[in-house]
Amino acid sequence: AAGVIQSPRHLIKEKRETATLKCYPIPRHDTVYWYQQGPGQDPQFLISFYEKMQSDKGSIPDRFSAQQFSDYHSELNMSSLELGDSALYFCASSSGGGYGNTIYFGEGSWLTVV
Amino acid sequence: GEDVEQSLFLSVREGDSSVINCTYTDSSSTYLYWYKQEPGAGLQLLTYIFSNMDMKQDQRLTVLLNKKDKHLSLRIADTQTGDSAIYFCAERGGGGADGLTFGKGTHLIIQP
């Protein structure tokens, strides 16, 4: 079965640079979530989208922005990168605007800021 | 805000049952989830339970929910070395595309 696809799987950026992560949800899923997991930490919710509209907002820094496109894929844009942004970034998807009960995660994108 | 608590470590012998416990504070939680994360890997959805249920069984996994005490547990029968991982409890509050609140995760260590 198709899963949540994230790209790139790994990237290395320098401080103050910009990075963009992409997420392709499971087919027919209309809801996308972004999470950040620091080393040894639990995943922290950043932001979610339903039908291309922002739905819920968590601890997303102002330097980050995201959107969901007409084909339901989503991109997380991170600017003015800091060392503390080094983390594993997960995308997850579900259907039904979040009322669906199954939320599936991608394998994550490892971001290292040097 | 919501809070989810888990023990950080659990050590069991191969073949025994593992019971991982979780407590949460949000009384409006609708769904509660268990995810498994192996080293360097993503989050694998193991199972979930709706808040109006008190038990759910799926092969070797049994989830028990005590809504009054806001206590959730995951029992893994006949624990194998492949079960070694971090297990995250997560809860979702009200409707809409609300984000999940995760616990810190329980490291399950399997002794031979």
Side-chain angles (χ1 to χ4, degrees), chain B residues 67-112:
Chain B
K67 194 172 180 182
K68 174 175 167 289
D69 295 339
K70 300 191 186 69
H71 181 268
L72 182 74
S73 68
L74 174 69
R75 177 177 180 269
I76 305 172
D78 186 25
T79 309
Q80 302 298 307
T81 54
D83 295 323
S84 181
I86 301 174
Y87 290 80
F88 288 97
C89 169
E91 67 90 23
R92 156 190 270 176
D98 287 2
L100 300 178
T101 299
F102 284 83
K104 297 295 182 190
T106 300
H107 294 243
L108 179 61
I109 300 162
I110 315 301
Q111 300 172 30

Side-chain angles (χ1 to χ4, degrees), chain B residues 14 24 30 59 76:
Chain B
E14 191 175 359
Y24 59 97
T30 53
Q59 300 182 333
I76 305 172

